[in-house]
Amino acid sequence: QVQLVESGGGLVQAGGSLRLSCVASGTIFGINNRAWYRQAPGKQRELLATISRIGTTRYQDSVKGRFTISRDVAKNTVYLQMNNLKPDDTGVYYCNAEIRDTTAPVFRDYWGQGTQVTVSS
């Protein structure tokens, strides 16, 4: 069984910073792409940043230059460093990973439970 657990959310003033973490645990055979998503109140979940198996990163235009996705392969952990936060960044942040567990021959999508980020003006 595979599990993703996020942490690091909270309340911050506009212009502040937060660092989110997402740890993958369980019967993991391999991990491909990892990503961070956000779901703002009343809106659909949107993709913010991805990091590939070889470390290539991509960002949504609205977070380029402010957010940085990184990973610690040994710890099965991915991070999202968020700087210069704006009220529009408020939402629930979810991590996502393509993981193959030890019991299956294919990679599947896994999601964390989400962590709330609130940016006050």
Side-chain angles (χ1 to χ4, degrees):
Q1 189 172 0
V2 174
Q3 189 176 19
L4 298 182
V5 178
E6 300 109 333
S7 62
L11 173 64
V12 64
Q13 287 188 332
S17 298
L18 284 174
R19 188 194 195 204
L20 307 183
S21 300
C22 175
V23 181
S25 63
T27 54
I28 297 171
F29 181 85
I31 302 178
N32 274 348
N33 298 330
R34 302 194 69 168
W36 285 97
Y37 286 73
R38 175 176 68 205
Q39 188 161 18
K43 295 186 178 180
Q44 290 188 332
R45 194 173 298 187
E46 60 179 342
L47 175 63
L48 299 178
T50 61
I51 185 164
S52 74
R53 185 176 183 179
I54 61 172
T56 303
T57 58
R58 293 185 177 179
Y59 299 91
Q60 186 198 90
D61 286 347
S62 69
V63 305
K64 278 182 183 177
R66 299 189 299 124
F67 291 10
T68 302
I69 188 170
S70 62
R71 63 182 181 168
D72 185 327
V73 175
K75 295 181 180 179
N76 284 340
T77 301
V78 66
Y79 305 97
L80 187 68
Q81 177 66 44
M82 306 186 293
N83 298 327
N84 191 22
L85 283 161
K86 305 175 181 180
D88 283 349
D89 293 318
T90 294
V92 179
Y93 285 67
Y94 297 90
C95 69
N96 165 271
E98 298 173 1
I99 297 176
R100 178 183 169 185
D101 70 39
T102 57
T103 65
V106 296
F107 284 85
R108 289 178 49 205
D109 261 351
Y110 288 87
W111 292 88
Q113 81 286 356
T115 184
Q116 176 71 42
V117 172
T118 302
V119 184
S120 63
S121 57

